[in-house]
Structure formats: C-alpha cells, structure tokens
Amino acid sequence: MVTALRCRVGLELDFWRSSAALRLCVSPSYRLRTDRGDDDMTYFDTEEGAALKSAFDEIVLDWPAVTATTMFGCPSYQAEGTLFAVLVTDGVALTRLPADHRERVAQTFEVGPFRAGERTVTKWVQITVEAGSELDSLIPHIEASYESALEETN
C-alpha cells in the first residue's frame, strides 16, 4: 500500500485508511514510499538523467506540435496533447510504439514494460539507453511513437 507520493512539482499526498492530506514539499525527483519499509523508488533522477534529457530534448522539441511536461515525476513528451515518450533515469518509455517497431527495438535494446511502483504499463515499451551513444539509433522508433500519437489526435 502506498503511504506517500512525492511529486517533483512540490506536492505530497499522505494516505491513511479513509482520509488524505495534501501538503507542500520540495523533492528533487518523483518517489513512492510504501508502508512495507521499501526504499524509495525513483523513476527519474534529475542529476543522473540530465545528459539523457538534454539529448532527448535536442531531438524532439523542434518537431511540430511537441510539448514537454512532467508526468510520474519524469520528463514527458506529447504530440498535440497525446503522450508519446516518458524519460526515466536510464532510458525512455515509448508510449505509442507500433508493433513492428516493438519487435525491432526488442532485438537491439534491453526492453521491458514501464513500471510505476506496483503498476505495470505493458503497452509502453521502456528501453534502457545510454544518453549519447544509443539514443541516435532510437530516433526512428521515437518518431514512430510520435507519429502514432499524432494519428490518435486526428
């Protein structure tokens, strides 16, 4: 059971059996704390993921209709309001990747579903990459996810 949720934007929600409280906080990254004593889980560390974010921004922010936002405490990218990519510290989750691209990505990269705590988003492909060296070879797949997002909005 989740007992607290900290967002990079500075909100913290604490949950009790039947009530919730909202208070302001400052947190460098998105973390989930559980009542089982687990360590905090971080999806995007702003320091460790800085090079990846910079390289990714350079690739996608000039594309038409792309906006950057934060979701799950991670840098996230939308095409006309439809999410197509989410950065995690050591990679990227492509949220609208077509099946043929999924197969090619799985042959070349370490992949898996996007996990947020105990929740798994199997439709999203999370790809482990090193900022500069592997990101360039992912561009066709990032574009495919972007184009699929655009198609959904039309």
Side-chain angles (χ1 to χ4, degrees), residues 8 18 70 76 103 107 140:
R8 188 173 181 272
S18 63
T70 301
S76 304
E103 293 171 15
Q107 293 172 358

Side-chain angles (χ1 to χ4, degrees), residues 15-91:
F15 296 91
W16 295 278
R17 292 180 197 263
S18 63
S19 63
L22 176 65
R23 65 179 180 227
L24 293 176
C25 69
V26 177
S27 178
S29 58
Y30 178 79
R31 299 176 185 279
L32 287 175
R33 286 195 326 254
T34 64
D35 59 358
R36 296 174 302 188
D38 297 341
D39 293 333
D40 286 351
M41 293 174 281
T42 303
Y43 303 111
F44 188 80
D45 182 286
T46 54
E47 291 178 18
E48 288 182 43
L52 175 63
K53 181 181 182 317
S54 177
F56 199 87
D57 285 352
E58 192 172 310
I59 293 167
V60 303
L61 288 183
D62 287 335
W63 294 352
V66 170
T67 55
T69 186
T70 301
M71 298 180 84
F72 309 105
C74 302
S76 304
Y77 302 85
Q78 299 175 347
E80 292 199 11
T82 301
L83 187 67
F84 71 91
V86 177
L87 296 185
V88 292
T89 302
D90 61 350

Side-chain angles (χ1 to χ4, degrees), residues 86-103:
V86 177
L87 296 185
V88 292
T89 302
D90 61 350
V92 59
L94 298 177
T95 64
R96 300 290 188 273
L97 195 61
D100 60 326
H101 283 268
R102 285 175 181 259
E103 293 171 15

